[in-house]
Amino acid sequence: FGERVFVFGGYGGGGQVYGDMWVLHFGGGSFRWENVTDQLQGTGPSLRFDHTAFVFPVTPNSDTFDKLMVMGGRDVSQVLGGAHLLDLGTLTWERAAPEGDASAGAGAAPPAAGAGVCCAVVEDVESVPYHKVCAVISLRSGRALDPGP
């Protein structure tokens, strides 16, 4: 993850839902967007918005963030369930157990479908009901970043 922020999907208004993947590079005091959609391998999530996504290390207590998980969300007609994992080293999608699939063992299926979920690793921020706040935090410095307009 380092000096990168991954952005998947979104809503463009007028019924336009996206399934592309962008990376914001913010090293060296500058910002640069890169569309990596064509570099992705495997079958990723369907077009969606209002989903949640977060990075995590495969090895417990590691500082290396290996995977990005995308869960829930919606399109223009339904709330979506299931979960997908993106290997950040190879940019390959993996399908996590779909909602309600117990074949992988107890507790393997993700929570029920959800939309409008927000994940954040932020300290000293008070939540405002019915509003979403997005903060991009540098994992190296712990400071909030301003990616500009």
Side-chain angles (χ1 to χ4, degrees):
F1 192 57
E3 296 179 339
R4 301 175 295 170
V5 174
F6 290 82
V7 179
F8 173 77
Y11 183 71
Q16 181 65 49
V17 182
Y18 296 101
D20 51 353
M21 174 73 74
W22 288 80
V23 177
L24 173 61
H25 301 270
F26 56 89
S30 64
F31 298 95
R32 179 179 57 88
W33 284 102
E34 178 185 11
N35 185 341
V36 297
T37 306
D38 292 338
Q39 299 172 39
L40 299 174
Q41 301 175 40
T43 303
S46 60
L47 307 178
R48 65 188 60 212
F49 62 98
D50 281 351
H51 52 282
T52 189
F54 56 93
V55 295
F56 63 95
V58 173
T59 305
N61 301 316
S62 171
D63 290 333
T64 302
F65 292 87
D66 309 297
K67 304 283 185 178
L68 170 83
M69 179 173 274
V70 174
M71 293 178 60
R74 61 187 175 125
D75 60 20
V76 293
S77 64
Q78 63 183 335
V79 174
L80 303 166
H84 288 80
L85 297 172
L86 179 66
D87 182 298
L88 298 177
T90 64
L91 293 180
T92 302
W93 285 109
E94 307 166 21
R95 175 84 166 136
E99 185 178 332
D101 180 2
S103 63
V117 179
C118 181
C119 284
V121 179
V122 188
E123 293 181 16
D124 300 327
V125 174
E126 213 172 294
S127 178
V128 178
Y130 309 109
H131 292 82
K132 292 182 185 178
V133 177
C134 178
V136 177
I137 305 297
S138 167
L139 294 177
R140 289 188 179 176
S141 69
R143 295 182 325 216
L145 301 175
D146 177 12

